[in-house]
Amino acid sequence: MNVAVLGSGRGSNLQAILESLQQGALTDVRICAVISNNSGAGILEIAKQNSIPSFHISQKQCASDDQLNDRLLSTLSQFGTELVVLAGYMKRLDRRIIERYRDRVLNIHPALLPRHGGEGLYGMHVHEAVIRAGEKESGATVHLVDEEYDHGPIVLQRTVPVADGETPESLATKVLEIEHQLLPEAIQLFAEGRITVNEKTHQVAIQPL
Ligand code: GAR
């Protein structure tokens, strides 16, 4: 299965995917392309180090939203993308891309959606919000992407406790560790064809082995 990974930052989730591939925990998967909206993103560097075709595609290079989406779509299709993975991609995906890859776009979010997601809630802001709300647990969510930000049927979710005196930084470290397990697991479920989405309820069912 050809997987394209989109990200805006350091790329630790891409690194975790690549390590899962090297360790054989993730099979029948090839990272076919990495795309970032940020030319200085670590995720592009990781792609280069691993000889994965990598692209900086951003709004600033394009005259219109349509042109940006044309470039994203043509790059995805050029590499035979079958699954799109948003690994710290801080831009909302346009409807055209979601329609083209309906139920084939995964996003990882560093909290237990539907709580603590949405516009402006990314990275450390999420952990600050979780602590401010006095939550006793947080975690990570992998979900299918629909037209709303941080929204869509949940594929996998795993929790971590929020300790007394937890800081956003310490919580981020704990959640990131979970993210690095959860995202490769979700990709593997896709590769095994075990994810189905109920047309009426829009809920994900995972077929047992
Ligand atoms: C991850 O924590 C991911 O969950 C988060 O960005 C980080 C990217 O880290 N995504 C969001 O907040 C999306 N709303 P990485 O670049 O090291 O993989």
Side-chain angles (χ1 to χ4, degrees):
M1 181 175 68
N2 283 327
V3 178
V5 178
L6 275 62
S8 306
R10 110 200 105 175
S12 71
N13 276 289
L14 172 64
Q15 185 66 46
I17 295 167
L18 295 172
E19 281 167 19
S20 293
L21 280 166
Q22 279 151 16
Q23 290 157 6
L26 193 51
T27 53
D28 298 321
V29 165
R30 193 173 70 102
I31 306 303
C32 59
V34 169
I35 301 173
S36 181
N37 59 307
N38 172 6
S39 62
I43 197 166
L44 289 177
E45 207 43 54
I46 294 171
K48 284 189 193 106
Q49 283 161 11
N50 287 274
S51 309
I52 299 167
S54 59
F55 303 90
H56 168 224
I57 303 178
S58 81
Q59 183 69 67
K60 284 185 203 139
Q61 306 160 319
C62 302
S64 64
D65 283 354
D66 255 357
Q67 204 183 76
L68 171 73
N69 293 317
D70 285 346
R71 284 194 60 189
L72 287 169
L73 278 168
S74 70
T75 307
L76 292 172
S77 85
Q78 184 189 345
F79 290 90
T81 302
E82 294 165 283
L83 178 71
V84 178
V85 171
L86 307 184
Y89 190 61
M90 300 307 173
K91 295 280 170 191
R92 190 201 294 260
L93 270 199
D94 187 78
R95 182 176 294 273
R96 278 173 62 201
I97 301 174
I98 291 164
E99 276 166 9
R100 168 71 182 77
Y101 291 96
R102 175 70 64 194
D103 295 336
R104 311 284 308 174
V105 183
L106 285 179
N107 179 44
I108 181 132
H109 185 76
L112 298 174
L113 291 176
R115 290 181 63 68
H116 307 297
E119 206 96 54
L121 280 173
Y122 58 89
M124 209 51 80
H125 301 300
V126 179
H127 306 298
E128 285 162 3
V130 167
I131 290 172
R132 228 182 2 251
E135 304 285 6
K136 293 286 167 242
E137 51 177 29
S138 188
T141 304
V142 177
H143 66 96
L144 292 171
V145 172
D146 65 15
E147 280 80 356
E148 282 178 59
Y149 201 78
D150 287 334
H151 193 266
I154 289 172
V155 177
L156 291 176
Q157 208 162 42
R158 198 158 294 157
T159 61
V160 297
V162 178
D164 289 342
E166 192 88 57
T167 64
E169 290 75 17
S170 65
L171 184 57
T173 304
K174 284 203 282 197
V175 171
L176 197 62
E177 210 173 297
I178 298 294
E179 291 186 46
H180 293 167
Q181 301 165 5
L182 217 56
L183 191 54
E185 280 177 34
I187 296 170
Q188 184 62 33
L189 288 172
F190 257 94
E192 290 171 3
R194 290 170 60 200
I195 304 269
T196 51
V197 184
N198 185 301
E199 273 179 31
K200 285 197 188 116
T201 64
H202 292 290
Q203 288 201 332
V204 165
I206 298 173
Q207 306 307 318
L209 273 176

